[in-house]
Amino acid sequence: MVDAEYPRTLGEFDRWFATEDRSRQYLIKVRWPSGFRCPRCSSGDAWLTQRGLMHCKGCGHQSSITAGTIFHGTRSPLRQWFQAMWWVTAQKNGASALGLQRILGLGSYETAWTWLHKLRRAMVRPGRDRLAGEVEVDETFVGGAEEGGGRRHVGKKALVAVAVEIRGTAIGRIRLQRVRDSSAASLLTFVRQAVTPGSRVVTDGLQSYRGLAAAGYVHKRKVVQGSGEAPDALLPRVHRVASLLKRWLLGTHQGRPDRAHLPYYLDEFTFRFNRRTARHRGLLFYRLLQQAVAVHSPIPYARLIGGSAAPGATTSGADLIEGDM
Ligand SMILES: [Zn+2]
């Protein structure tokens, strides 16, 4: 990668985005890496107006540089959005709405909350690569009442399917998804979406995974032998990721993102985890911006609250990014 595609330090960030105009120019560069084209006449000859519109010299058409992105219709300066994105990505453990409200001096908690959720929606890339090679798969309960609450609390918890690439003794990339239950239908659907067929999938002895071989995977079942081995030792990477996830939910989000929004927290965790070895946090900012300017359908606040909106990104632009880095 060419150096200086993204700011690497807070000092660089402040210089690069000192003005609204510079922030807009950067967005244009990221959104149209091979140059802006007028959506009406395809001319590449255009200039940026003071209101943030691209004015086509060929046909006079004016188009918004944020139309179709997660910034669409925002009344806040792009600069402030960039600051939010920097803050969200620069912190190893992510951001809470209250923290974002404080650091940006946003007028209301609801605004900060909405911004965070819009950014989370940009953290998952549609059509992203599936995991490959050797992959551990298991499920875990998150959220709900305190640990040890007993069976009656299970209803408040959510079941999350976890897939983790095995890289020697280490962990590669991960995928997380909330699933309805541990039935074969739920879990095989998850594996199909998360793991490339032909890969070797390691699970415990749960019956639901029996269909993996028929679904085109090399299936390796690990079963607890006698009394000596703890179940967690069978799939150590999945359990490591699950415990990091739970700690993160507890620490940053007080352990209780409601179930409707859990998928977006899972996306944020995955986004961070799969880039945990990035040399500069600025790379995360850059990736997030690339995904934020991929074409998204705007999501009204009411639908964000409900948590029922379809994943935002719909079309091109989203598959420009290779791998998870
Ligand atoms: Zn034009």
Side-chain angles (χ1 to χ4, degrees), residues 143-162:
E146 63 283 354
E147 298 292 325
R151 285 201 61 124
R152 63 206 165 93
H153 291 295
V154 165
K156 288 186 179 174
K157 297 180 192 236
L159 190 61
V160 173
V162 184

Side-chain angles (χ1 to χ4, degrees), residues 17-37:
F17 308 119
T19 65
E20 184 67 2
D21 185 59
R22 285 210 211 165
S23 308
R24 287 168 174 165
Q25 296 289 1
Y26 185 74
L27 181 138
I28 291 168
K29 232 172 60 182
V30 173
R31 185 170 182 186
W32 293 279
S34 45
F36 173 84
R37 294 261 152 212

Side-chain angles (χ1 to χ4, degrees), residues 274-289:
N274 287 347
R275 292 164 184 80
R276 66 198 180 282
T277 57
R279 243 185 340 145
H280 300 288
R281 308 307 288 178
L283 176 61
L284 276 74
F285 166 82
Y286 180 67
R287 291 292 182 237
L288 182 56
L289 181 60

Side-chain angles (χ1 to χ4, degrees), residues 126-140:
R128 59 189 171 179
D129 304 329
R130 286 180 284 184
L131 306 185
E134 199 172 2
V135 182
E136 284 181 9
V137 175
D138 203 357
E139 333 82 54
T140 187

